[in-house]
Amino acid sequence: MKSYEEQRVPSAPAPSFREQGDVPAMSVTVRVPAKVNVQLTVGGARPDGFHELANVFLAVDLFDEITVSSAEELRITCSGRDAAEVPLDHTNLAARAARVLAERHGLTSNVHVHIAKDIPVTGGMAGGSADGAGALVACDALWGTQASRRQLLDICAELGSDVSFSLVGGAALGIGRGERLTELEVGGRFHWVFAMAGRGLSTPAVFKEFDRLNEGVRIPEPVASQDLLDALAKGDAKALAAAVCNDLQPAALSLFPELARTLAAGKAAGALAGLVSGSGPTIAFLARDAADAKEIAEALSASGTCRSVRTAVSPAVGAVVL
Ligand code: C5P
C-alpha cells in the first residue's frame, strides 16, 4: 500500500497555467465525501486543549461538491437544503483553505467558492472539513500551484483535525488529534443509515462535556481496537457492529438527550449497531445489506425521532476533481 504522500488526488486535475499556455482554467469542481467514525477513542486533554485520539474514519458516499472560479475577491456561496446554516464568512473552512494556499504561493485568494451541500451541517460527519479539503484541491488545480500531496496534507492538518481524512477518503486510523493518518484495508462494502437531528451540536462543546463527565477519571492512552480493524479488513458487518465505539457518545447524549430515542428506534428497526457519528448529533446505524438499510431507513422516517434519514455506503473515495 502506498503512503498518502505518494498518492495523487484521483482523476485528472485541471492543467496547470503553463500547460495551457498561461490561460487559467475557468472553474474547477471537486467532490468530497462525508465520514463516520467507527471508533472514536478519546484520551485526556492536552495542554493545547485538543485531545489525543484513536479515531477510525470511514468515508461514506454522501458528497459535497466545491466549485472554484476566478473572482474580484474571495467570496463563498452555498446551495442545498441546509445552505442557510453554512457560514459564508472568513470562518468557513473553504475560505480558510483558499487563503492559506494562496499565502503559501504568494497569490491573492480572489476566488469564488461555491459549495453544493449534501453533507449534513454541524452533524458530526465532517461536512465543513470536506469543504475545506475540496476548496484546497480545487484552488490548487485552478491556480496551477501543483502543491505536493504532503503540502496539501500539511495545510489540511492546519485547517482542522478531520480535514486530512476528507482529502484521502477510504478508511484510515487517525492519531494525534486525528490528523495523523494511516490508511486501513477494507474488505467489503458497509451499508449505513444516517438519522439527522433537528439541530446541530458544536464539536468543542461536546469535547468540553466529555471533560466534565470524566473529571477526576484517569483516562488511558487511546489505542485502535484490533477487533475493529480485523472486521474492517474482512468486510464483516456483524463483527464491525460488535466493535464500533464512540467515547463522545455519552457527552453528545448528555447535551442532546432526545438522541437516545433515535438510537432506540434504529435498533428496534433491526440495525446491527447504532452510534453517534463523531461529535454528533447525526446517528449512524449499520445495516446487514442494502435491503436492510432501506427497511431501517423507512422505520426511522416513520418513527418521528429525527429530522431526515439517508442511506449511504462505505468506503467512498476521497477528494476527486470532476
Ligand atoms: O480540529 P477541529 O477544528 O475540527 O476541532 C474542533 C474542536 O474540537 C477543537 O477546537 C477542540 O475543542 C475539539 N477537539 C479536541 N480534540 C481533538 C479534535 C477536536 O478537543 N482531537
Side-chain angles (χ1 to χ4, degrees):
M1 205 170 274
K2 279 184 176 176
S3 77
Y4 285 122
E5 285 74 28
E6 289 173 278
Q7 296 171 11
R8 292 207 56 79
V9 174
S11 169
S16 72
F17 288 8
R18 201 148 28 93
E19 283 162 351
Q20 288 186 321
D22 290 323
V23 178
M26 297 297 285
S27 71
V28 177
T29 300
V30 173
R31 194 191 71 174
V32 193
K35 60 85 184 167
V36 60
N37 303 91
V38 282
Q39 178 183 354
L40 184 38
T41 302
V42 183
R46 309 190 315 199
D48 65 2
F50 283 89
H51 296 71
E52 284 296 316
L53 303 179
N55 190 353
V56 179
F57 295 100
L58 200 49
V60 300
D61 66 349
L62 299 180
F63 300 100
D64 281 359
E65 283 185 12
I66 295 86
T67 299
V68 297
S69 49
S70 299
E72 295 287 300
E73 57 183 4
L74 178 58
R75 192 161 72 91
I76 309 277
T77 55
C78 185
S79 60
R81 203 169 74 159
D82 295 341
E85 294 166 44
V86 175
L88 301 178
D89 60 10
H90 65 280
T91 62
N92 190 302
L93 278 177
R96 287 180 51 207
R99 207 170 285 124
V100 173
L101 184 71
E103 272 166 18
R104 296 272 161 99
H105 292 272
L107 302 170
T108 50
S109 53
N110 291 348
V111 70
H112 173 202
V113 182
H114 181 74
I115 301 165
K117 193 145 250 324
D118 199 32
I119 304 175
V121 179
T122 55
M125 297 187 73
S129 300
D131 301 343
L136 184 63
V137 171
C139 287
D140 180 52
L142 182 75
W143 296 333
T145 37
Q146 295 186 315
S148 68
R149 190 77 157 164
R150 176 74 271 157
Q151 288 165 333
L152 291 177
L153 286 169
D154 283 348
I155 296 175
C156 286
E158 197 179 305
L159 294 172
S161 306
D162 292 348
V163 184
S164 309
F165 179 72
S166 298
L167 182 81
V168 301
L173 169 66
I175 57 163
R177 63 185 168 88
E179 86 291 12
R180 279 164 33 212
L181 299 177
T182 310
E183 189 172 8
L184 295 175
E185 200 186 324
V186 185
R189 284 153 62 84
F190 295 101
H191 295 267
W192 296 95
V193 182
F194 292 98
M196 323 305 185
R199 64 177 168 94
L201 267 178
S202 136
T203 302
V206 175
F207 273 102
K208 224 169 144 196
E209 183 67 359
F210 171 89
D211 290 338
R212 194 185 69 80
L213 294 175
N214 289 286
E215 219 176 319
V217 177
R218 216 197 133 270
I219 303 174
E221 202 174 306
V223 285
S225 148
Q226 195 54 50
D227 287 349
L228 185 124
L229 300 185
D230 290 345
L232 276 181
K234 284 190 195 131
D236 183 338
K238 253 187 158 168
L240 182 64
V244 292
C245 57
N246 181 357
D247 284 351
L248 291 181
Q249 183 157 316
L253 286 173
S254 164
L255 296 175
F256 201 152
E258 303 91 308
L259 295 178
R261 290 181 58 226
T262 320
L263 275 165
K267 285 185 188 160
L272 291 173
L275 81 164
V276 168
S277 177
S279 58
T282 302
I283 309 282
F285 295 100
L286 187 56
R288 282 166 196 80
D289 52 31
D292 192 28
K294 191 164 171 272
E295 263 179 41
I296 295 165
E298 281 164 7
L300 273 168
S301 296
S303 74
T305 62
C306 51
R307 183 183 56 131
S308 59
V309 179
R310 299 285 297 271
T311 58
V313 175
S314 60
V317 294
V320 173
V321 181
L322 298 180

